[in-house]
Amino acid sequence: MEEYNSGDEVVFNADDASNSIKECIEGVIGGTDYSQSKVNQWTASIVERSLTHLVKQGRPFKYIVNCTIMQKSSASLHTANSCYWDNTTDGSCTVRWENRTMYCVVCVFAVALQL
């Protein structure tokens, strides 16, 4: 994961984070079918792996990761997020992943630390 400097400030790179999150999702639920009994385990694993990947980059951010898994059906899911932060350094990304039986939505928020 790489960030871009604007002066001395660090900026969150959403594209790199999205790629890392997609890898985490694939690693946890990539080839499996939806199973209600495993959703809690899957969401916890995806969040933990995502945080681990982000933190290992050693960037000066605090991260918030949210994961939602939903079985494919005729029901709909609507989500919204709002943040009050510094648009020049902080950032977020949302990854929507699906296979034939489920949807997975992971939201990452990165808040720059003042060093």
Side-chain angles (χ1 to χ4, degrees), residues 1-5 10-24 47-65 89-95 106-112:
M1 185 174 302
E2 196 173 302
E3 74 273 349
Y4 302 107
N5 291 322
V10 175
V11 179
F12 178 66
N13 186 321
D15 291 336
D16 286 347
S18 293
N19 291 334
S20 181
I21 300 308
K22 286 176 191 171
E23 290 176 19
C24 292
V47 168
E48 289 300 318
R49 283 189 187 196
S50 298
L51 279 171
T52 299
H53 277 85
L54 293 166
V55 170
K56 277 185 180 177
Q57 300 302 316
R59 309 297 187 227
F61 289 102
K62 284 188 179 183
Y63 297 102
I64 300 117
V65 179
T89 57
D90 305 334
S92 67
C93 70
T94 300
V95 174
V106 178
C107 299
V108 175
F109 301 92
V111 181

Side-chain angles (χ1 to χ4, degrees), residues 100-113:
R100 64 183 189 82
T101 62
M102 67 183 125
Y103 298 104
C104 178
V105 179
V106 178
C107 299
V108 175
F109 301 92
V111 181
L113 297 171

Side-chain angles (χ1 to χ4, degrees), residues 63-110:
Y63 297 102
I64 300 117
V65 179
N66 178 284
C67 178
T68 302
I69 295 176
M70 178 180 169
Q71 183 177 16
K72 279 191 175 179
S73 68
S74 60
S76 60
L77 173 69
H78 300 273
T79 63
N81 297 304
S82 180
C83 298
Y84 180 74
W85 59 20
D86 184 346
N87 288 327
T88 60
T89 57
D90 305 334
S92 67
C93 70
T94 300
V95 174
R96 181 180 175 272
W97 179 94
E98 67 180 279
N99 68 12
R100 64 183 189 82
T101 62
M102 67 183 125
Y103 298 104
C104 178
V105 179
V106 178
C107 299
V108 175
F109 301 92

